[in-house]
Amino acid sequence: MIAKEMGMIFSKHADMMTTKHWTELLQQLEAKGLFVVIETGTNGRVLSPFGGLMPMPCKNETLNVFTAEELEAKGLTAGHHVVSKCHPVAEAK
């Protein structure tokens, strides 16, 4: 199956995926040494169900899958991450 076909299937099944299903999928990726990084364009924060703050979802998010070595090259530890790709506001003079 090509990626485009799987993408259509994912979009139809995503609403039925529970937290448990997503967790199992991510654990399978971890077992293969792969980690998901969500890059988001928002700096807004919402409370995580596990404590702390996490970025709010936005329309221009990107999902990437990296190996531990690729994460290290980007300055990230092995694991799943949500990172902001917001551009800092220039200081006023």
Side-chain angles (χ1 to χ4, degrees), residues 69-88:
E69 294 80 20
E70 291 170 323
L71 288 173
E72 186 178 331
K74 293 182 174 296
L76 299 170
T77 58
H80 306 289
H81 296 274
V82 179
V83 296
S84 177
K85 56 183 177 184
C86 291
H87 301 290

